[in-house]
């Protein structure tokens, strides 16, 4: 039972959407403690009950209590990501050890583990649906990975490892955000702005005015940083910005924000965890719930792809160097010249610029186009809706489909598109609520879709680069995976229970539509004239689609191999790994696959949030692994749409929904792929889409 104080706590109100206008940092501790206590009491009661457990009497109440805690803590974690002010940071960090301790404690509860095993081995198991049987199998696997079978004298240490890892991951992310916000480049002379697009200049001027200062303020947030690297004629400005960005959260900046010691400690803890569980290294632990079988298999996949991509990457770089020498007077192509020279080369070769294209992608038109694609593929409607939000800029939408008795609600999503100083960088989708059926009815899914795009400037709507549009479609693909699920079991509903190296399939799949003429026609309108994207400009974009795709591919392979080898080969058994050892491994990987080697002072690992603060440890390869699946899946739409003028084929879309999106984690991802494609995945479509096929 809730007491009077918790009953009034908005974090404990699960009747509708989160009450963001009411939720305050002081609500976090009492709400989370109350829910943890509720879960602990339930576990104590269920494990004490005699006899063989049943699904309805044991798993269902466990799921429902766990879901309430997960939802409340999810709101807290979300606000820590999108509204990282000191009060929320303090509230989040105060309860992070408690929540980590609780989940570690549950994972190690041998009595609970025995109850799950007893149900798994009982006569009822044969009567359960295949989905529920899969959930029980996953549950037993996760207990083992959580240390349930460890000797009692080792469990406290294993629990300490989980708590410390959670705290270090949060600190890593906070250091990176603070280091990103700590640096600014001030330009006082307008001549120093040569080459920088007008909307970026206006945003920089507005940033300076907001601080009551003259001139222009450029920051390390992506909407400010990237255009400077890409367009600024001032080479020294580019060099300063590049160095500041490349050394964020390292010993070369503010000492208190140095992520180097955190990296060493995180690696040592992961290694200790792996050895306690009986594995040789953390890479092996990471792969247990994934599609791939062994680190060696993944490394072989990456090296095979690298062998195919590197010749194209070397050709890309030689062409860029030759152009920079001949046309830009850059005898030595420095890293801070690459984006600038690449943009100039693209303009020279294809006679267009990113900035020119950007004018055709105003935000309202892009959203209309995105929603139009979803309607065409899946025959659903996306409509504006109302709910409390954490920022006035955030919008809220509902998804409906036609039912026998009128429109049926499918789900909701929040859309938070613009960069803010209190929001962590990057783009992501997260679950606010999962679809499931419970004792009081059914809950429809709710998703957060978060990006860091430039906001409106000078009274005009925000405009997006084509890369921004790709990012938006990518995150929306994750969102659709979560929202269009038709599974009612929490553990495998939507994105839950999907193998990590397959979870990028729906997101990367959606990106492909951003290159289709019939799609772009409907989602472009020049921000000043309203004219749609000209066919001639589109043809140039297509001609340039695979511009430097070799260089981009080996860069991703570099990150993937570094991550896998870092967690599979670096000995951390004697304590924190020296950052010099981490950098040495990165250098080794670069010698194998990279074509452009950054300066010795570059500190890439210190900002590699995916693997140190984002759940991708020994799993960054998933992007390339899933790209094989997504390219192959999209090929089905190419085949269905051949000769029709559009790939937005609703029959194929319905099949993709039914076999991929609807089933979530309720069956192995490979089975879902084969159900959709009718065969095993092939790498051919990815190589073709990337232009990495030898010309006859």
């Amino acid at each position: 039972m809730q007491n009077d104080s918790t009953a009034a706590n908005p974090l404990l109100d699960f009747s509708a959407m989160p009450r963001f206008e009411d939720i305050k940092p002081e609500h976090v501790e009492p709400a989370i403690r109350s829910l943890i206590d509720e879960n602990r009491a339930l576990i104590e009661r269920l494990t004490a009950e005699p006899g063989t457990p049943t699904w309805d009497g044991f798993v269902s109440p466990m799921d429902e209590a766990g879901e309430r805690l997960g939802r409340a803590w999810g709101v807290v974690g979300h606000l820590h990501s999108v509204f990282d002010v000191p009060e929320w940071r303090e509230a989040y960090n105060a309860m992070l050890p408690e929540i980590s301790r609780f989940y570690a404690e549950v994972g190690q509860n041998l009595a609970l583990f025995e109850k799950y095993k007893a149900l798994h081995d009982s006569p009822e198991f044969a009567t359960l649906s295949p989905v529920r049987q899969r959930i029980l199998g996953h549950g037993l696997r996760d207990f083992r990975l959580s240390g349930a079978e460890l000797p009692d004298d080792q469990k406290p240490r294993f629990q300490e490892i989980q708590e410390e890892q959670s705290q270090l991951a949060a600190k890593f992310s906070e250091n990176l955000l603070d280091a990103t916000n700590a640096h600014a480049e001030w330009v006082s002379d307008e001549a120093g702005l040569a080459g920088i697009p007008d909307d970026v200049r206006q945003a920089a001027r507005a940033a300076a005015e907001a601080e009551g200062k003259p001139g222009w303020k450029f920051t390390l947030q992506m909407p400010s940083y990237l255009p400077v690297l890409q367009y600024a004629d001032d080479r020294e400005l580019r060099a300063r910005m590049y160095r500041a960005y490349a050394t964020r959260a390292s010993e070369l900046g503010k000492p208190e924000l140095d992520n180097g010691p955190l990296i060493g400690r995180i690696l040592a803890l992961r290694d200790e965890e792996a050895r306690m569980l009986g594995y040789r290294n953390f890479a092996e632990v990471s792969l247990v719930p994934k599609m791939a079988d062994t680190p060696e298999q993944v490394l072989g996949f990456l090296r095979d792809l690298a062998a195919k991509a590197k010749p194209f990457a070397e050709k890309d770089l030689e062409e860029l160097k030759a152009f920079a020498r001949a046309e830009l007077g850059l005898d030595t192509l420095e890293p801070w010249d690459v984006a600038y020279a690449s943009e100039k080369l693209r303009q020279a070769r294809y006679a267009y610029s990113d900035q020119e294209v950007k004018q055709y992608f105003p935000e309202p038109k892009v959203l209309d186009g995105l929603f139009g694609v979803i309607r065409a593929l899946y025959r659903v409607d996306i409509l504006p809706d109302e709910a409390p939000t954490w920022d006035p800029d955030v919008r809220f939408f509902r998804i409906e489909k036609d039912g026998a008795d009128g429109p049926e609600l499918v789900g909701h999503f929040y859309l938070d598109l613009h960069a803010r100083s209190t929001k962590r960088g990057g783009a992501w989708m997260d679950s606010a609520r999962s679809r499931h059926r419970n004792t009081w009815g059914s809950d429809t899914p709710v998703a957060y879709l978060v990006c860091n795009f430039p906001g409106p400037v000078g009274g005009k709507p925000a405009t997006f680069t084509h890369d921004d549009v790709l990012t938006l479609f990518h995150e929306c693909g994750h969102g659709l995976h979560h929202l269009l699920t038709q599974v009612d079991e929490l553990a495998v509903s939507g994105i839950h229970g999907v193998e990590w190296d397959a979870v990028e399939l729906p997101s990367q799949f959606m990106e492909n539509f951003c290159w289709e003429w019939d799609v772009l026609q409907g989602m472009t309108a020049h921000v000043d004239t309203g004219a749609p994207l000209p066919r001639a400009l589109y043809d140039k974009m297509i001609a340039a689609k695979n511009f430097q795709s070799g260089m981009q591919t080996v860069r991703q392979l570099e990150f993937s191999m570094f991550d896998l080898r870092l967690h599979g080969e670096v000995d951390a058994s004697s304590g924190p790994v020296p950052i010099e050892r981490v950098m040495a491994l990165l250098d080794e990987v670069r010698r194998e696959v990279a074509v452009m080697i950054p300066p010795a002072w570059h500190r890439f690992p210190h900002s590699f949030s995916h693997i140190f603060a984002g759940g991708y440890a020994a799993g960054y390869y998933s992007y390339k692994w899933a790209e094989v699946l997504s390219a192959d899946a999209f090929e089905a739409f190419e085949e269905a749409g051949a000769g029709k003028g559009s790939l937005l084929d609703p029959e194929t879309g319905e099949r993709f929904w039914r076999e991929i999106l609807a089933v979530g984690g309720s069956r192995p991802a490979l089975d879902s792929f084969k159900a959709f494609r009718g065969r095993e995945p092939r790498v051919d479509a990815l190589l073709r889409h990337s232009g990495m096929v030898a010309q006859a």
Side-chain angles (χ1 to χ4, degrees):
M1 290 289 292
Q2 295 176 359
N3 59 37
D4 290 341
S5 61
T6 57
N9 190 318
L11 263 177
L12 295 171
D13 181 359
F14 304 112
S15 61
M17 300 301 155
R19 289 160 49 189
F20 286 109
E21 80 278 33
D22 298 326
I23 297 169
K24 303 290 189 292
E26 56 266 27
H27 292 132
V28 174
E29 183 174 352
I32 300 304
R33 283 196 189 283
S34 166
L35 291 165
I36 288 176
D37 290 345
E38 173 191 315
N39 275 262
R40 281 193 175 121
L42 176 69
I43 290 168
E44 189 172 339
R45 178 174 67 78
L46 291 176
T47 52
E49 288 179 354
T52 304
T54 64
W55 184 277
D56 290 339
F58 175 71
V59 178
S60 291
M62 283 287 298
D63 279 354
E64 289 177 17
E67 195 266 346
R68 288 192 292 276
L69 175 58
R71 267 172 69 179
W73 182 248
V75 170
V76 178
H78 176 69
L79 288 169
H80 179 247
S81 296
V82 296
F83 188 53
D84 190 5
V85 295
E87 298 84 0
W88 268 108
R89 180 177 292 190
E90 184 180 341
Y92 175 82
N93 284 321
M95 286 309 294
L96 185 59
E98 296 286 333
I99 200 91
S100 303
R101 188 175 305 127
F102 168 73
Y103 284 123
E105 176 188 299
V106 171
Q108 293 179 2
N109 189 318
L110 198 55
L112 203 54
F113 181 41
E114 293 297 340
K115 286 287 185 182
Y116 275 94
K117 278 204 294 189
L119 177 55
H120 186 272
D121 297 339
S122 73
E124 185 188 354
F125 184 78
T127 69
L128 296 176
S129 68
V131 172
R132 288 185 171 182
Q133 291 181 354
R134 179 171 168 82
I135 290 169
L136 282 175
H138 280 180
L140 295 178
R141 175 200 70 196
D142 293 344
F143 270 110
R144 293 185 178 105
L145 290 176
S146 298
E149 295 181 317
L150 289 174
D152 285 345
D153 63 341
Q154 292 184 25
K155 286 183 177 179
R157 175 59 194 150
F158 196 88
Q159 196 167 309
E160 288 171 6
I161 290 171
Q162 307 311 310
E163 289 176 34
E164 190 176 350
Q165 284 193 68
S166 296
Q167 292 168 310
L168 290 170
K171 183 63 175 168
F172 186 100
S173 189
E174 290 167 2
N175 283 351
L176 184 57
L177 177 62
D178 291 348
T180 301
N181 289 335
H183 185 88
E185 286 291 334
W186 293 85
V187 176
S188 55
D189 184 353
E190 192 165 1
L193 304 175
I196 298 175
D198 285 344
D199 59 336
V200 181
R201 293 187 190 197
Q202 289 176 43
R205 181 73 201 99
E209 286 176 346
E211 296 189 26
K213 295 182 180 179
W216 295 262
K217 180 187 179 183
F218 295 94
T219 72
L220 299 183
Q221 290 182 358
M222 206 44 69
S224 180
Y225 170 76
L226 193 58
V228 171
L229 267 287
Q230 203 169 2
Y231 295 106
D233 293 333
D234 185 340
R235 195 183 192 192
E236 287 304 312
L237 175 62
R238 296 200 311 268
R240 290 195 304 274
M241 290 280 278
Y242 177 90
R243 186 177 185 111
Y245 191 83
T247 56
R248 288 177 303 158
S250 76
E251 80 281 9
L252 301 178
K254 292 186 174 183
E256 66 272 20
L257 301 179
D258 181 10
N259 275 339
L262 274 60
I263 291 170
R265 183 66 182 151
I266 288 169
L267 292 172
L269 291 169
R270 288 174 179 168
D271 185 75
E272 186 179 355
E273 174 187 336
R275 292 173 189 275
M276 289 182 76
L277 292 172
Y279 293 92
R280 292 180 301 166
N281 51 61
F282 187 79
E284 289 187 344
V285 176
S286 174
L287 291 184
V288 172
K290 294 183 170 69
M291 287 179 73
D293 295 321
T294 65
E296 292 75 21
Q297 179 195 11
V298 176
L299 205 53
F301 163 75
L302 296 172
R303 284 185 163 138
D304 181 57
L305 204 49
K308 292 180 170 72
K310 195 167 183 180
F312 291 93
E314 289 168 339
K315 181 170 178 284
D316 288 343
L317 184 58
E318 285 310 311
E319 288 175 348
L320 186 63
K321 285 180 175 177
F323 174 83
R325 272 194 307 270
E327 303 298 329
L328 305 177
L330 298 174
D331 292 332
T332 302
L333 186 73
E334 300 290 357
W336 46 90
D337 299 324
V338 172
Y340 179 77
S342 296
E343 182 58 28
K344 297 292 187 189
L345 174 57
R346 181 185 5 224
Q347 291 178 32
R349 184 178 291 175
Y350 304 106
Y352 87 95
S353 71
D354 273 355
Q355 189 61 23
E356 181 184 359
V357 171
K358 182 180 178 181
Q359 307 311 307
Y360 288 95
F361 286 113
E363 182 178 310
K365 195 70 176 174
V366 170
L367 290 181
D368 284 348
L370 168 63
F371 297 165
V373 169
I374 296 168
R375 288 187 189 100
L377 288 177
Y378 307 119
R379 297 173 172 143
V380 296
D381 278 327
I382 300 178
L383 305 165
D385 207 340
E386 296 291 327
T389 63
W390 53 93
D391 190 276
D393 196 34
V394 177
R395 280 167 287 175
F396 188 66
F397 295 90
R398 64 193 284 116
I399 303 180
E400 294 179 348
K401 67 176 180 180
D402 288 335
D405 301 316
E408 291 179 3
L409 178 64
V410 174
H412 289 91
F413 63 95
Y414 299 88
L415 196 60
D416 185 357
L417 292 180
H418 305 137
R420 295 187 297 275
S421 62
T422 55
K423 186 200 287 191
R424 71 174 167 90
W428 66 92
M429 187 286 296
D430 207 351
S431 163
R433 185 174 77 196
S434 298
R435 171 174 164 148
H436 68 291
R437 191 179 304 281
N438 48 45
T439 51
W440 58 86
S442 293
D443 273 340
T444 50
V446 184
Y448 303 118
L449 299 182
V450 185
C451 299
N452 270 281
F453 300 149
V457 174
K460 295 180 181 179
T463 53
F464 298 157
T465 66
H466 190 248
D467 276 347
D468 291 338
V469 176
L470 288 167
T471 297
L472 177 60
F473 270 63
H474 179 104
E475 298 308 331
C476 195
H478 282 309
L480 291 170
H481 200 184
H482 181 65
L483 294 165
L484 298 187
T485 188
Q486 293 178 349
V487 178
D488 289 320
E489 303 289 354
L490 268 173
V492 290
S493 169
I495 56 173
H496 301 298
V498 178
E499 295 95 322
W500 198 266
D501 41 7
V503 82
E504 297 294 335
L505 190 172
S507 52
Q508 292 172 335
F509 161 80
M510 278 294 287
E511 293 182 37
N512 291 286
F513 290 102
C514 300
W515 295 101
E516 295 302 314
W517 173 241
D518 63 308
V519 172
L520 291 184
Q521 274 182 302
M523 63 187 293
T524 56
H526 194 282
V527 69
D528 293 324
T529 68
L533 182 77
R535 178 71 198 215
L537 182 51
Y538 166 78
D539 289 340
K540 293 173 184 176
M541 290 170 62
I542 291 298
K545 179 188 174 194
N546 293 318
F547 177 60
Q548 296 183 342
S549 68
M551 283 172 63
Q552 291 164 11
T553 298
V554 297
R555 186 166 176 266
Q556 287 297 306
L557 292 172
E558 172 192 321
F559 299 165
S560 301
M561 287 177 67
F562 167 65
D563 165 43
L564 193 71
R565 293 187 59 191
L566 186 65
H567 290 98
E569 299 175 19
V570 173
D571 182 11
S573 59
S574 56
V577 179
I579 197 64
E580 294 78 14
R581 177 71 187 92
V582 175
M583 298 304 299
L585 176 68
L586 181 54
D587 290 341
E588 194 178 314
V589 170
R590 283 171 173 159
R591 286 193 294 272
E592 180 178 352
V593 297
V595 294
M596 188 80 193
I597 308 295
W601 42 258
H602 198 291
R603 293 293 183 267
F604 167 71
H606 296 67
S607 61
F608 200 0
S609 293
H610 276 79
I611 70 169
F612 294 118
Y616 276 86
Y620 195 82
Y621 76 89
S622 301
Y623 283 101
K624 278 299 167 196
W625 187 277
E627 203 173 344
V628 171
L629 305 177
S630 64
D632 198 338
F634 185 72
E635 194 172 55
F637 288 81
E638 293 176 318
E639 293 162 0
K644 296 180 182 176
S646 175
L647 303 191
L648 296 174
D649 181 62
E651 283 72 31
T652 311
E654 193 278 331
R655 199 156 45 85
F656 187 77
W657 183 354
R658 184 178 69 246
E659 303 293 1
I660 303 287
L661 303 177
V663 297
S666 66
R667 68 182 177 193
L670 184 59
D671 290 356
S672 296
F673 179 89
K674 288 193 290 189
F676 174 65
R677 269 316 246 148
R679 57 166 174 77
E680 297 270 349
R682 300 172 187 156
V683 74
D684 310 47
L686 173 59
L687 295 173
R688 177 173 56 81
H689 287 167
S690 303
M692 292 189 296
V693 179
Q695 300 298 312

